[in-house]
Amino acid sequence: DDRETIMNEFKQIHQQPNKEAAIKVLHVFYDYPKQIRASIYSTNMIESFNNVIKRKAKSKAEFPTEQSLDTFIGIQAMSYNERYFNRIHKGFGQVQDTLESYFD
């Protein structure tokens, strides 16, 4: 749930007008434990999900309505979440207590 918020914070680094301003924003990245920095910087999980959507949508020539496309993507997202619900991404298991303390 918090991935979007975190990614938006990182995007601020790239949107800064100069190096000095970017360095001031960069401190956000280093607030997170070292074990998970590579995972939260990467878009591998998002790209993986996008590939699932593309692969499954390929067999369907077109969707009759926008609602049918929304339904299809929603079903794929729920299926993907169920399949990977218990998966702990690289580094997150090591710092779970630390991460949970951020949200207390």
Side-chain angles (χ1 to χ4, degrees), residues 26-102:
L26 185 62
H27 77 279
V28 171
F29 182 71
Y30 291 101
D31 286 345
Y32 294 96
K34 183 179 181 179
Q35 294 90 332
I36 66 169
R37 289 182 196 154
S39 292
I40 60 178
Y41 179 76
S42 170
T43 59
N44 289 345
M45 289 189 291
I46 295 168
E47 290 172 7
S48 172
F49 178 67
N50 287 343
N51 287 335
V52 168
I53 296 292
K54 287 177 188 176
R55 187 173 52 248
K56 296 203 176 200
K58 194 177 232 182
S59 62
K60 314 222 181 294
E62 65 179 63
F63 294 92
T65 66
E66 191 171 327
Q67 178 64 37
S68 65
L69 175 61
D70 289 345
T71 301
F72 172 79
I73 292 175
I75 290 169
Q76 297 309 315
M78 290 187 319
S79 173
Y80 189 84
N81 287 340
E82 285 175 16
R83 193 164 85 204
Y84 294 109
F85 180 73
N86 291 323
R87 180 180 174 197
I88 297 175
H89 203 267
K90 179 182 170 185
F92 280 78
Q94 299 169 350
V95 295
Q96 185 171 355
D97 293 337
T98 304
L99 295 173
E100 288 175 358
S101 72
Y102 290 167

